[in-house]
Amino acid sequence: EAEVAQSPRYKITEKSQAVAFWCDPISGHATLYWYRQILGQGPELLVQFQDESVVDDSQLPKDRFSAERLKGVDSTLKIQPAELGDSAMYLCASSLEGPQREQYFGPGTRLTVT
Amino acid sequence: AQTVTQSQPEMSVQEAETVTLSCTYDTSESDYYLFWYKQPPSRQMILVIRQEAYKQQNATENRFSVNFQKAAKSFSLKISDSQLGDAAMYFCAYSLYGQNFVFGPGTRLSVLP
């Protein structure tokens, strides 16, 4: 069964350092999402791509976060510089195009900033 | 901005019994989508059930059903014949035309043998 892949699974970094996360969606899924999930809370949408275009990045802290999906397939989320408050689980999800489509989530990357 | 509220941080149910998880949301839109997602411990989040706001009929998926009250902006999830594998975090989510996804804070469900 096809799955969303994410790497790394765990990342520890010092504050002020740069960190990057990678996501490979299910083949054929045009829509890709990045979420941040703080422990004990629900996921917060950071950015949504339709193919290679950003359709929603209203909650992305653009002074330090960036995301790209250059060829409309895999995606990278970057944080520079990392802050202590960025410690969280970063989830990637993908779906077929359409408003009611099911999102398939990856296992996430747990980031700890020290 | 749209908000999603889940007023029950934790719930428990006896195996084989029925439990209802609550969700309310705030929106000024008339056409939107609502979802329940399940996040088992240390496993990926998966979709449980979805509802389109313009459909009056409540969605049903096997043992899972919803009570969608559009005027009250309420979207509760009923789990019948609860099983040990139902133990998880449950998140209610809202979407407008496939964008602007907003998740609630979640309800942790425990299933007691």
Side-chain angles (χ1 to χ4, degrees):
Chain A
E1 183 175 323
E3 294 184 339
V4 175
Q6 290 188 247
S7 68
R9 295 291 307 277
Y10 304 91
K11 180 71 177 179
I12 300 175
T13 190
E14 294 182 348
K15 63 181 180 179
S16 79
Q17 295 298 304
V19 63
F21 314 128
W22 177 80
C23 173
D24 191 13
I26 294 173
S27 178
H29 281 192
T31 308
L32 185 147
Y33 315 79
W34 282 103
Y35 291 90
R36 175 171 59 187
Q37 186 176 22
I38 295 172
L39 188 64
Q41 299 182 19
E44 174 193 23
L45 180 66
L46 293 175
V47 61
Q48 178 179 342
F49 289 93
Q50 183 64 35
D51 298 311
E52 66 274 10
S53 300
V54 173
V55 297
D56 186 355
D57 64 354
S58 56
Q59 300 301 312
L60 187 71
K62 299 181 184 64
D63 56 334
R64 298 186 300 108
F65 286 63
S66 64
E68 61 182 16
R69 192 184 185 198
L70 293 176
K71 297 183 179 180
V73 180
D74 59 337
S75 176
T76 301
L77 178 70
K78 298 179 181 178
I79 308 175
Q80 182 174 18
E83 296 181 351
L84 295 178
D86 296 332
S87 295
M89 178 74 83
Y90 289 83
L91 298 170
C92 179
S94 70
S95 72
L96 294 169
E97 190 172 354
Q100 78 284 17
R101 295 294 188 176
E102 175 179 359
Q103 293 186 44
Y104 292 83
F105 284 80
T109 296
R110 181 166 297 282
L111 173 67
T112 301
V113 182
T114 62
Chain B
Q2 290 79 13
T3 59
V4 176
T5 301
Q6 294 178 250
S7 59
Q8 306 153 317
E10 297 184 2
M11 292 281 286
S12 62
V13 61
Q14 290 289 142
E15 196 175 4
E17 296 297 309
T18 296
V19 65
T20 299
L21 308 184
S22 300
C23 172
T24 58
Y25 57 94
D26 184 24
T27 184
S28 59
E29 305 291 337
S30 60
D31 192 11
Y32 46 87
Y33 294 84
L34 298 166
F35 307 82
W36 279 98
Y37 277 86
K38 169 186 177 181
Q39 189 174 39
S42 302
R43 293 176 58 188
Q44 274 93 308
M45 193 172 313
I46 57 174
L47 178 67
V48 175
I49 199 166
R50 78 195 98 186
Q51 175 82 40
E52 299 168 66
Y54 66 87
K55 289 187 176 180
Q56 293 186 336
Q57 186 173 6
N58 289 325
T60 299
E61 290 285 346
N62 300 315
R63 298 183 296 108
F64 299 88
S65 61
V66 298
N67 183 4
F68 174 47
Q69 301 291 326
K70 191 172 184 178
K73 297 180 182 177
S74 171
F75 183 62
S76 60
L77 174 69
K78 185 173 80 171
I79 306 174
S80 303
D81 185 26
S82 295
Q83 301 175 359
L84 294 177
D86 295 333
M89 284 291 292
Y90 286 81
F91 295 98
C92 179
Y94 164 101
S95 164
L96 182 63
Y97 306 127
Q99 299 181 27
N100 309 115
F101 280 91
V102 178
F103 281 74
T107 295
R108 182 177 301 281
L109 178 66
S110 301
V111 181
L112 308 175

